[in-house]
Amino acid sequence: MTNLPESTLERLIETARAVRLNAYAPYSKFWVGAAVLDEGGTISVGCNMENGAYPLGTCAEAVALGSMVASGGKECRVIVIVGTGDTLITPCGGCRQRIAELAVADTEIYCVAETGDERKKLSVDDVLPNGFRL
Ligand code: THU
């Protein structure tokens, strides 16, 4: 998103870090939080939600994007993802496709750690070059 104010990005990072603490990840113990900014300026959040039937687990990004859609958002302008520990995690393959579905040309994907100022900024084309689109 062009002209994303630094204060909005800070707020998204803070929000993703906070929602991460609500993750339900008793199996992997890898807690993930995501915050999405839509075209109306609304922030939607998600955290991963695992299941004892392992394939039913849901990623934080999927939950956040679903929440954006449920609250009336149409475009994911910015998504912030925070994993567990110092490593900056990037979305899994399925979530790259989910992000691409709801993204606009200049959607920004920020990967941040639990703490610290390090950020990896990616575009949809970075994470899903030549992606499938209907
Ligand atoms: N996970 C996410 O929520 N988002 C990602 O981008 C990568 C992985 C979750 C899935 C699972 O609950 C846990 O992290 C470990 O893979």
Side-chain angles (χ1 to χ4, degrees):
M1 190 179 129
T2 41
N3 302 323
L4 173 68
E6 177 63 22
S7 59
T8 305
L9 178 57
E10 292 292 346
R11 188 155 162 242
L12 285 164
I13 292 172
E14 237 174 66
T15 304
R17 283 175 172 159
V19 72
R20 173 185 166 276
L21 302 176
N22 296 332
Y24 177 74
Y27 306 104
S28 70
K29 303 204 182 317
F30 191 84
W31 297 271
V32 184
V36 167
L37 182 73
D38 70 21
E39 74 284 3
T42 299
I43 296 176
S44 300
V45 299
C47 54
N48 53 331
M49 186 180 68
E50 297 182 346
N51 193 285
Y54 294 164
L56 296 181
T58 311
C59 287
E61 297 91 322
V63 174
L65 291 167
S67 173
M68 179 196 87
V69 169
S71 61
K74 308 275 184 245
E75 296 173 358
C76 168
R77 298 277 175 95
V78 183
I79 181 165
V80 172
I81 301 147
V82 55
T84 294
D86 294 340
T87 316
L88 308 187
I89 65 157
T90 58
C92 78
C95 286
R96 292 172 189 222
Q97 187 72 40
R98 289 188 178 96
I99 294 166
E101 180 75 26
L102 298 167
V104 287
D106 60 353
T107 290
E108 294 174 7
I109 301 164
Y110 287 92
C111 308
V112 301
E114 271 185 66
T115 58
D117 294 332
E118 201 188 342
R119 297 165 188 175
K120 193 197 304 238
K121 178 183 166 189
L122 300 168
S123 67
V124 175
D125 203 51
D126 289 330
V127 299
L128 195 70
N130 304 305
F132 169 75
R133 284 208 84 109
L134 272 182

